[in-house]
Amino acid sequence: MTQPPQPPNEPPQGGFGQPQEPPAGGFGAPTEPPPGGFGAPTPPPEQPGYGYPQQQPGQPQYGYPQQPPAQPGGQPGYGHPQQPPGQPQYGYPQAGQPQYGYPQQPGQPYNQPGPGGPGAPGGGKKISTQTQIIIAAVVAVVLIVGGGVYFASSGDDKKDEAKTSDTKGGGKDGKSLGGGDEKPPSNTKSKVAFQLPQPKVGDITDVSGSWITDKAYVKTGVNQIVAYDPDMGKQLWTIPLPGQVCAASRHTTEDNKTAVVFAASKPTAKDKYVSCTEVGAVDLEAGKLLWTKSVTGGNAGDDKASFNEVTLSGKTIAVGGTDGGAAWDLTSGDNLWKPEVNAEGCYDMGYGGGPGLVAARKCGSYDDPTVLIQNVNPADGAPISEFKMPAGVEYVSVVSTKPLVVAADVGDTAGDGSGISDFFSIDEKTGKLRAKIPVDADKYAGRCGSTEVEQCSKLAVGNDRIYVPTEEHEGTGEDYGQTNEIVSFDLATGKATTDRADAGERYAMYPLRMDGSNIIAYKWPPYDKGGQIVSIDGGTFKETLLMENPSEESVREAETSFSLDGAEIRYGGGRMYTSETLISEPSEYSKDRKEYLVVAFTTN
């Protein structure tokens, strides 16, 4: 397949293997667990935890517009999950601040009297706290109605019912769709399986890539890939690499083979940046690097092409980057296509894999690019169908290849760094648009990479629907903690369905993956409980608890030390693993505190 390069006047995209400034607690940045290991006594936290039932005035409420923290160079930190020392933690409820969704001017006191208030025009008595809460709840409902999802309360103890524009009803008519493989254990209470400390590094180091097999949990490390006993954490095998892993496929074959991209050598004092030119096929069962390949061409000319993305579809390993796209046969290592120069300045930025192979192709100039979505033949890269993204799209993310769903931030309108203003449901056979689904960034919480083609999280696609978490908002319990829901959109019509799964008071719930017709979701815990894994029936939307982690403070704080926007969460067979994707040299603030590469739980 002809895979021409990026035009010379287009600056390189940031990605795996690209030199960058260390983030100030931003996307993927290492977070700081408390001192001491699991179960060790720890002093009371300086900051109250998520959902802590106290008030602390003077700080902005979660969801209320505020200035994001700064990265080096004065730029806001992407997905920054923490507050500076002395401020409340994420999700901490506070008094004297606008309620979730209430339309106020920043800095305006919530209870400030105004026109039309009690008493004379333009003034009157201050609104009571109880009245404030009632008003905020009413206004929040009105705002949610505008987004196409209406959560109506019957006023009694019954569960809220969801009403939407989908007259057919949600939950696929309320019938079970067959379910999946994950079943609840006899005891859903988990225990700590093992914990792996972060290795010492002198610079930002990519450690993306983690996989579960029947016999092992496999994780990338520093210049290596390591397999661990799934319940004890003992090392089973190690694959040493000549340089650092730069990208790892999230997909595996049925016999547990996958692919990685890595550097050909380690950085030196003279040359701190080493290109990510090596593509490798990995056998996760045998613990072997089956083969290593590289290729020349594209923008790289006679030099080796550099890649920052890799995926797997069937027996095809496909890689992408600013030098163009290439592919190899997983079994033989034969090169299927390589980057080539194109007069129109077109090149493959990257690919989405899994059941299909989809190329994200960019053409034109830097100031006026055109992005194409091509469903391609994995054997030779020949396009099967093509969809042209609308103007104002520079990058796209492939959420799913079958059914084909992509996400984009059209005209940079999302405004929250999520990379998503709209989902596009595309017929992979014809390339015709099935539905365009606008998603208000203030209401929905999915996330995709800014330039990576296959880097979405907190989303799942199945049953011809896309499952999306809502942003967190005030709950209805007495402690007024944060909560959210998982809802869905029909990929055929683009309309919101009546599907709704509630996280529960003081929990926040996010899809991890599909399990047959069911959705596997993770519940981020409140300050006094452990996280949970649940299975949501794709037909009835009934939740089944699969795992509940310990509530001991040291364990809970270790579990929540990861940023959900920068960590990999894997669940299967009663085991949950949370791992970092980027690590760096400890800061002055955190150098005396334990930081984790992996935290693992098991119900076995």
Side-chain angles (χ1 to χ4, degrees):
M1 176 184 178
T2 299
Q3 298 292 334
Q6 180 179 8
N9 63 338
E10 176 153 346
Q13 306 170 38
F16 293 136
Q18 298 291 332
Q20 51 188 300
E21 291 294 326
F27 175 80
T31 52
E32 297 154 10
F38 286 116
T42 57
E46 296 180 359
Q47 306 175 28
Y50 172 79
Y52 192 78
Q54 295 183 9
Q55 304 288 336
Q56 185 171 349
Q59 302 297 337
Q61 176 116 3
Y62 177 77
Y64 188 69
Q66 51 189 290
Q67 185 67 26
Q71 287 181 329
Q75 298 300 319
Y78 178 71
H80 189 77
Q82 302 175 342
Q83 299 283 354
Q87 294 186 8
Q89 285 186 9
Y90 176 73
Y92 181 68
Q94 302 148 40
Q97 299 298 332
Q99 300 296 312
Y100 174 80
Y102 192 74
Q104 297 271 334
Q105 293 295 324
Q108 178 181 352
Y110 179 81
N111 60 355
Q112 179 177 325
K125 297 180 181 179
K126 292 185 178 180
I127 303 173
S128 68
T129 301
Q130 182 177 6
T131 305
Q132 295 170 22
I133 295 168
I134 294 172
I135 293 175
V138 172
V139 175
V141 168
V142 172
L143 292 176
I144 293 174
V145 170
V149 181
Y150 173 49
F151 300 140
S153 175
S154 62
D156 56 19
D157 293 334
K158 294 181 179 180
K159 268 193 170 182
D160 293 346
E161 296 177 353
K163 297 181 180 179
T164 75
S165 55
D166 183 358
T167 56
K168 294 181 180 180
K172 297 291 184 180
D173 298 324
K175 298 178 181 179
S176 181
L177 302 179
D181 296 330
E182 302 292 352
K183 307 299 180 185
S186 57
N187 182 5
T188 57
K189 298 288 187 181
S190 72
K191 62 180 180 180
V192 176
F194 59 88
Q195 59 195 21
L196 302 177
Q198 284 192 23
K200 302 297 182 182
V201 295
D203 201 353
I204 293 179
T205 302
D206 194 327
V207 288
S208 57
S210 55
W211 307 269
I212 299 176
T213 74
D214 292 337
K215 300 178 181 178
Y217 168 73
V218 185
K219 173 66 184 167
T220 57
V222 179
N223 305 317
Q224 61 181 354
I225 302 172
V226 183
Y228 301 90
D229 179 277
D231 293 313
M232 304 299 293
K234 178 183 177 181
Q235 289 193 19
L236 302 178
W237 50 257
T238 300
I239 300 175
L241 299 173
Q244 189 54 38
V245 171
C246 310
S249 172
R250 62 178 59 189
H251 307 289
T252 61
T253 62
E254 291 185 359
D255 57 350
N256 290 313
K257 293 182 175 63
T258 192
V260 295
V261 170
F262 55 93
S265 62
K266 300 176 179 65
T268 64
K270 185 177 181 180
D271 186 8
K272 292 187 176 181
Y273 173 68
V274 181
S275 296
C276 300
T277 59
E278 310 306 300
V279 180
V282 181
D283 187 331
L284 298 173
E285 291 284 355
K288 293 181 179 179
L289 189 63
L290 300 175
W291 50 256
T292 300
K293 302 288 182 178
S294 60
V295 68
T296 60
N299 273 353
D302 294 333
D303 295 330
K304 288 184 177 182
S306 179
F307 305 106
N308 54 31
E309 293 194 54
V310 59
T311 194
L312 178 67
S313 180
K315 297 294 184 180
T316 297
I317 295 173
V319 295
T322 55
D323 288 336
W328 287 266
D329 181 272
L330 171 66
T331 303
S332 65
D334 292 340
N335 181 232
L336 302 178
W337 66 86
K338 58 185 287 187
E340 294 182 6
V341 176
N342 178 279
E344 288 76 31
C346 298
Y347 73 102
D348 285 359
M349 296 184 288
Y351 304 89
L357 186 62
V358 173
R361 189 168 179 79
K362 181 179 281 191
C363 300
S365 66
Y366 174 73
D367 295 328
D368 187 24
T370 297
V371 176
L372 305 173
I373 299 299
Q374 294 181 334
N375 182 30
V376 302
N377 185 337
D380 57 11
I384 298 171
S385 66
E386 182 177 286
F387 174 77
K388 182 180 178 181
M389 297 296 293
V393 172
E394 296 185 47
Y395 301 100
V396 295
S397 297
V398 177
V399 184
S400 168
T401 57
K402 286 188 179 182
L404 178 51
V405 181
V406 301
D409 187 358
V410 182
D412 296 325
T413 56
D416 64 343
S418 66
I420 307 171
S421 67
D422 301 87
F423 295 113
F424 295 80
S425 173
I426 303 167
D427 188 313
E428 64 265 22
K429 295 180 181 179
T430 65
K432 293 182 179 180
L433 181 68
R434 300 177 67 199
K436 178 175 177 287
I437 306 171
V439 281
D440 188 338
D442 290 334
K443 296 176 183 177
Y444 303 103
R447 184 169 291 273
C448 293
S450 57
T451 60
E452 296 88 350
V453 171
E454 196 176 43
Q455 197 67 29
C456 293
S457 61
K458 301 179 181 177
L459 299 169
V461 174
N463 308 320
D464 209 33
R465 298 186 175 188
I466 183 167
Y467 299 97
V468 184
T470 66
E471 290 284 0
E472 295 176 35
H473 55 82
E474 285 288 341
T476 58
E478 294 181 357
D479 52 14
Y480 306 113
Q482 301 286 309
T483 189
N484 79 332
E485 302 79 31
I486 291 177
V487 296
S488 75
F489 295 89
D490 190 301
L491 294 178
T493 66
K495 295 180 179 180
T497 76
T498 55
D499 292 340
R500 175 185 172 184
D502 296 299
E505 288 299 322
R506 300 185 299 126
Y507 286 91
M509 181 164 58
Y510 302 98
L512 294 179
R513 63 176 174 85
M514 296 300 298
D515 173 35
S517 62
N518 293 345
I519 305 102
I520 301 298
Y522 173 62
K523 287 189 177 183
W524 182 268
Y527 78 98
D528 56 350
K529 296 181 181 295
Q532 296 180 355
I533 296 289
V534 297
S535 176
I536 304 171
D537 188 290
T540 65
F541 245 56
K542 176 184 177 182
E543 296 177 35
T544 299
L545 180 64
L546 300 178
M547 170 183 283
E548 183 171 16
N549 295 332
S551 60
E552 285 84 356
E553 184 178 20
S554 60
V555 178
R556 185 181 67 249
E557 290 182 350
E559 178 183 359
T560 58
S561 66
F562 298 86
S563 164
L564 287 183
D565 292 331
E568 293 175 334
I569 300 179
R570 304 285 184 256
Y571 175 83
R575 303 179 179 98
M576 170 186 164
Y577 306 90
T578 305
S579 66
E580 291 287 7
T581 55
L582 290 174
I583 59 176
S584 62
E585 184 178 10
S587 65
E588 186 68 25
Y589 174 72
S590 64
K591 66 180 182 180
D592 295 328
R593 305 180 68 181
K594 183 177 290 186
E595 295 182 327
Y596 301 99
L597 176 66
V598 179
V599 172
F601 298 94
T602 181
T603 57
N604 297 321

